[in-house]
Amino acid sequence: MDVVGKDASVEPSNANDDSLNYHTPNIAPEWQVNGNNLTNTSIGMTSVCNSMVESSACSSPSMVDSFCPTVWDHSINGQSLGYCDVNVQNDVSTSSNLGSVRADLGWNPSAMMRGGMFMPPVSGMLPNFPADSGFIERAARFSCFSGGNFGEMMNLFAVPDPLNPFSQGLGVVHSQRHEMNMAELSKEGGLFMGKPGAEGSPFKNEKRSESLHDEAKQGVGIAGNDSDEAECSGRGPQEEVACMTGESPGKGLGPKKRKRGGVQNAQNDENNETPTQSAETTKDTREMKQKGDHNTTSNSNPGSKNGKQGSRGSDPPKEDYIHVRARRGQATNSHSLAERINDLLMMQVRREKISERMKFLQDLVPGCSKVTGKAVMLDEIINYVQSLQRQVEFLSMKLATVNPRLEFNVEGFLTKDMLQSRGGMSSLGLLPDMTMPFPPIHPPQLGLIQTCIPSNSAEALRRPINIQSPSVCAGFKEPSSQVSISSISEVSNWEDELHNVVHMGFTSSAPSSSQDLSGSLPPGHMKAEP
Amino acid sequence: MKARSSLKQEFLEKWRKGLQIGRNDSTILERKDAIKLSADVAIAATRNAATRWRRALLCDVVSKNPTNKHVVEQILGHKLKNTAATTRLTTACRRRILRRGQNYRRRKRNKRSRALRKLVPGGEEMDGVLLLQETLDYIVSLRAQVDVMRRLAAIT
């Protein structure tokens, strides 16, 4: 509890500082000003960016002075968040790799860089490290395993292979710390970034928490595996597992706490690691102490306390981490709070639009009234569209087989359609034979023809209906019969259209086609035209 | 009712228009393709050919077989001068959408939405909201098309 509280209290301040740091290149002074707090938080703040931060990891203020400004400048390029996003992205993409790598990431003074520790700048910095053996020593001294982390980082950036034993050893130690740092850093970073977009991110967090879970699990698991023998013998991994399986949020702090305890345990219990590792563990422990006396005390009581605290404390880090990762999905150029809020609002509006359209689709697609939820609805919609498309294919095939030629008698169909669409009731008076909605072609045609006969010359009507003989053009020009029918059926416009269409089809059809059409006409139709 | 029937009638007329073009179809498959082509173009040309799926469908039709162009033109009643423009528009939309990180993410997201995008013509370039909207319109048009074709098949 104490540790948690302290961390919580520390982190917000750090977050604020970090925010300031983000925007001010003068990190070093601020960082120094914050002193222990910063250091502690920075230590804990190594998140995914750890890899990069590692390179710049200089726990010691002196080293910080030398490194931080440079690294800071890199990070400060107005891309603090963006970098973080990049980091997160990188982590996500290579979660499997990064899981281990991240675990190996040393905690770094990336705390400062919290927002700004990013691969690009760090990688740029990396080359500096190998040459700085003295730095490595200092790093080791200050439990800044950037050197070792650097090796890890090199692995990360280059090929993940067990490079130098130094890095390996460090990596083992670091892994634990990395987890913690990651958690802390993520927490703090997330805290910083998550605060503004707290509202919108929850749902994103939910989505990303899982991925984060996975990644953290990987990192934690790997670290746990590494550190099992080294430090936490039994407790570490268990706690880690507990943290992982328990609450993802609690993971951040939990591993950290666990690490501390593990570190101490390693110190006390065994030196599975190389002497350097043990030395570093010692340093780590010291660093841990720096973070918070409470933490160290908790370390002394690592078992349950760490687990508890870890689970509890990791909640905010996890959420923040999620926030960070969530933001990765969003446009990386949304720095300001206003932009974030705007994004959230847009997301909400979009969701509303989607739900509205889903409602329409529900009405449209048959059998979807009971279905709830986007997924099942989408399934139904997909099935429906597929079935409609298949029906079109099937029907076109059927029509192709029926008609030797493509110009089938659409007129009768038109008539029938007219009847159906318009109810055709009004036309019943004139065309008693056409009352049936789906009659075979004979009755409607006959009816139409019969109707036409009394009204006018049958040919005039017949010819439009049977686009067979081009010579019927003359008779075709008498719209009166059709018009009368249309007027009665209240389909005047439709009739005119039909008339026009038929006329056009009539004139454009080749004589041969008309002959074929006549051949394809049903016998009733043939009878209709004596 | 009136709107629906007018849609069907419009489709029917345009379909007929497309079928009027003389073709040398000997096999059933060819005939079926011709029928289907005319039907698809007709249904895409109904109402206002402004929705994306319509334009995408017309572009696909023309690009697949240049000879289909005159069918489309006949049905549409005007020269397809905007085919290139439509294609460009689609490409531009696609590029615009690709640039947006959000849409990129969404497109990768769902198996179902991916399946739906494959079904609806031009769906690859649409984002989530637009996809649903276009699907709505597309379903309505498909239903009208199937209705008319079924009735015609019942007659013949």
Side-chain angles (χ1 to χ4, degrees):
Chain A
M1 313 317 182
D2 302 340
V3 179
V4 177
K6 190 182 174 179
D7 288 345
S9 62
V10 165
E11 283 165 6
S13 63
N14 292 330
N16 298 336
D17 300 331
D18 290 339
S19 59
L20 293 174
N21 293 341
Y22 278 127
H23 305 292
T24 61
N26 295 336
I27 296 172
E30 288 184 4
W31 186 83
Q32 286 167 355
V33 168
N34 294 329
N36 290 341
N37 289 345
L38 258 186
T39 322
N40 296 339
T41 53
S42 63
I43 291 174
M45 296 215 290
T46 56
S47 64
V48 230
C49 316
N50 283 349
S51 59
M52 307 202 227
V53 184
E54 282 184 292
S55 59
S56 59
C58 8
S59 57
S60 68
S62 61
M63 286 167 49
V64 174
D65 293 344
S66 56
F67 285 97
C68 298
T70 45
V71 180
W72 193 248
D73 291 338
H74 283 280
S75 57
I76 289 285
N77 296 337
Q79 299 170 5
S80 55
L81 283 181
Y83 279 124
C84 267
D85 296 343
V86 170
N87 288 343
V88 179
Q89 258 173 346
N90 293 337
D91 296 330
V92 177
S93 57
T94 63
S95 58
S96 56
N97 278 345
L98 287 176
S100 52
V101 177
R102 254 177 296 128
D104 299 335
L105 290 182
W107 49 291
N108 34 30
S110 56
M112 327 189 274
M113 318 273 189
R114 199 182 346 178
M117 292 334 302
F118 337 99
M119 307 281 263
V122 173
S123 51
M125 307 282 294
L126 280 176
N128 304 335
F129 286 94
D132 194 354
S133 58
F135 163 67
I136 292 176
E137 292 172 7
R138 276 177 307 196
R141 215 181 309 122
F142 291 96
S143 25
C144 174
F145 305 92
S146 57
N149 294 338
F150 169 72
E152 298 294 359
M153 280 201 307
M154 292 306 287
N155 292 343
L156 170 60
F157 291 124
V159 176
D161 57 351
L163 282 185
N164 39 18
F166 176 68
S167 60
Q168 260 183 340
L170 288 178
V172 175
V173 178
H174 296 314
S175 62
Q176 303 155 0
R177 235 167 275 108
H178 289 303
E179 288 180 50
M180 290 187 284
N181 295 335
M182 209 166 49
E184 289 180 357
L185 183 58
S186 63
K187 173 170 66 170
E188 296 184 357
L191 195 60
F192 169 67
M193 288 178 275
K195 276 179 198 166
E199 306 112 6
S201 12
F203 73 98
K204 282 179 291 201
N205 294 345
E206 293 160 12
K207 278 180 193 164
R208 299 199 169 66
S209 59
E210 292 186 359
S211 54
L212 282 174
H213 271 277
D214 299 339
E215 291 187 13
K217 272 185 192 175
Q218 284 175 355
V220 172
I222 293 166
N225 296 338
D226 293 342
S227 58
D228 275 353
E229 308 90 7
E231 304 182 351
C232 313
S233 54
R235 209 163 7 87
Q238 290 171 2
E239 287 177 6
E240 287 180 0
V241 171
C243 284
M244 283 194 297
T245 54
E247 308 100 27
S248 57
K251 203 185 340 173
L253 204 52
K256 177 170 62 173
K257 305 247 165 122
R258 201 177 37 246
K259 291 298 159 61
R260 281 193 288 260
V263 170
Q264 288 186 349
N265 291 338
Q267 276 181 327
N268 306 332
D269 301 342
E270 36 189 279
N271 294 332
N272 296 351
E273 304 150 7
T274 65
T276 50
Q277 288 177 355
S278 55
E280 293 189 346
T281 33
T282 324
K283 293 166 206 156
D284 285 344
T285 332
R286 265 182 301 167
E287 289 179 350
M288 302 306 182
K289 287 174 185 169
Q290 287 179 357
K291 282 184 192 177
D293 298 336
H294 301 279
N295 292 343
T296 50
T297 52
S298 67
N299 290 339
S300 60
N301 203 1
S304 54
K305 207 172 181 186
N306 285 348
K308 283 188 227 160
Q309 287 161 353
S311 52
R312 254 178 286 108
S314 48
D315 283 339
K318 186 59 186 248
E319 284 180 9
D320 299 335
Y321 193 55
I322 295 171
H323 284 258
V324 173
R325 294 177 53 77
R327 204 154 299 95
R328 167 193 65 79
Q330 298 257 316
T332 54
N333 51 4
S334 59
H335 303 296
S336 68
L337 175 59
E339 285 186 35
R340 269 185 238 110
I341 290 181
N342 196 24
D343 287 342
L344 296 174
L345 290 172
M346 273 166 45
M347 293 289 294
Q348 269 198 337
V349 167
R350 179 179 165 267
R351 263 180 282 134
E352 285 167 9
K353 279 191 207 166
I354 287 181
S355 58
E356 184 190 341
R357 295 200 176 39
M358 294 289 291
K359 273 187 237 158
F360 283 133
L361 281 166
Q362 218 172 21
D363 297 335
L364 204 57
V365 176
C368 272
S369 50
K370 304 170 195 167
V371 174
T372 52
K374 276 195 218 171
V376 190
M377 264 301 300
L378 270 178
D379 278 341
E380 290 293 318
I381 291 166
I382 288 169
N383 288 337
Y384 190 56
V385 171
Q386 268 176 347
S387 73
L388 284 176
Q389 286 177 342
R390 275 189 244 118
Q391 279 182 33
V392 169
E393 286 264 350
F394 169 74
L395 286 169
S396 60
M397 173 68 86
K398 185 174 176 195
L399 288 170
T401 57
V402 167
N403 299 309
R405 279 304 291 165
L406 297 175
E407 285 81 3
F408 38 88
N409 50 348
V410 188
E411 299 77 10
F413 176 75
L414 282 172
T415 315
K416 193 181 63 158
D417 196 29
M418 167 190 74
L419 279 176
Q420 285 153 11
S421 58
R422 315 282 176 162
M425 295 309 107
S426 54
S427 61
L428 286 183
L430 268 187
L431 312 167
D433 297 336
M434 298 163 70
T435 53
M436 293 161 58
F438 290 93
I441 193 167
H442 316 313
Q445 287 178 343
L446 285 171
L448 189 58
I449 293 166
Q450 288 164 11
T451 317
C452 295
I453 291 176
S455 63
N456 210 341
S457 61
E459 292 182 356
L461 192 58
R462 249 179 289 131
R463 286 189 193 124
I465 297 178
N466 323 324
I467 43 171
Q468 296 176 1
S469 50
S471 57
V472 189
C473 286
F476 189 78
K477 287 174 189 142
E478 295 181 21
S480 56
S481 54
Q482 290 110 2
V483 169
S484 59
I485 295 171
S486 60
S487 61
I488 292 171
S489 59
E490 297 172 1
V491 294
S492 55
N493 53 344
W494 184 84
E495 281 293 345
D496 292 340
E497 288 176 359
L498 169 60
H499 175 66
N500 296 336
V501 169
V502 170
H503 186 66
M504 282 193 296
F506 186 88
T507 51
S508 58
S509 62
S512 58
S513 61
S514 60
Q515 287 164 12
D516 292 341
L517 183 58
S518 62
S520 63
L521 282 178
H525 196 79
M526 300 300 288
K527 286 180 215 157
E529 37 177 321
Chain B
M1 177 72 116
K2 193 122 191 214
R4 231 184 310 144
S5 58
S6 66
L7 168 68
K8 288 185 191 167
Q9 286 159 15
E10 192 184 347
F11 161 66
L12 194 54
E13 289 155 20
K14 296 199 168 164
W15 191 17
R16 286 193 66 256
K17 259 202 269 184
L19 291 173
Q20 298 303 331
I21 296 178
R23 277 186 219 87
N24 307 332
D25 304 337
S26 51
T27 70
I28 288 183
L29 275 177
E30 285 177 2
R31 286 208 300 272
K32 166 234 168 195
D33 288 339
I35 289 174
K36 181 163 189 287
L37 170 75
S38 292
D40 288 342
V41 175
I43 202 66
T46 55
R47 297 227 178 122
N48 52 342
T51 55
R52 288 216 193 160
W53 69 264
R54 295 177 208 262
R55 274 179 286 156
L57 198 148
L58 292 175
C59 284
D60 287 345
V61 156
V62 173
S63 57
K64 269 181 203 159
N65 195 354
T67 58
N68 300 336
K69 200 170 175 193
H70 49 273
V71 176
V72 180
E73 284 177 357
Q74 166 135 354
I75 288 182
L76 286 179
H78 57 80
K79 283 286 179 187
L80 271 180
K81 53 182 179 291
N82 57 347
T83 333
T86 318
T87 321
R88 274 202 311 273
L89 174 65
T90 316
T91 320
C93 284
R94 202 181 307 148
R95 265 190 260 114
R96 210 186 309 137
I97 289 172
L98 277 171
R99 256 183 256 125
R100 284 193 225 130
Q102 289 180 333
N103 290 337
Y104 186 64
R105 179 167 42 102
R106 279 185 218 124
R107 256 189 288 120
K108 291 162 77 177
R109 166 189 300 171
N110 219 351
K111 235 191 297 179
R112 294 189 180 86
S113 65
R114 257 181 273 149
L116 190 56
R117 278 176 224 275
K118 281 186 209 153
L119 287 177
V120 177
E124 304 287 333
E125 295 96 37
M126 304 179 194
D127 62 345
V129 184
L130 186 62
L131 180 68
L132 289 180
Q133 202 171 323
E134 298 280 321
T135 311
L136 261 174
D137 193 49
Y138 186 56
I139 285 179
V140 169
S141 305
L142 267 182
R143 286 224 303 217
Q145 183 179 9
V146 166
D147 246 357
V148 170
M149 290 176 85
R150 193 185 295 145
R151 288 189 205 168
L152 189 57
I155 298 173
T156 57

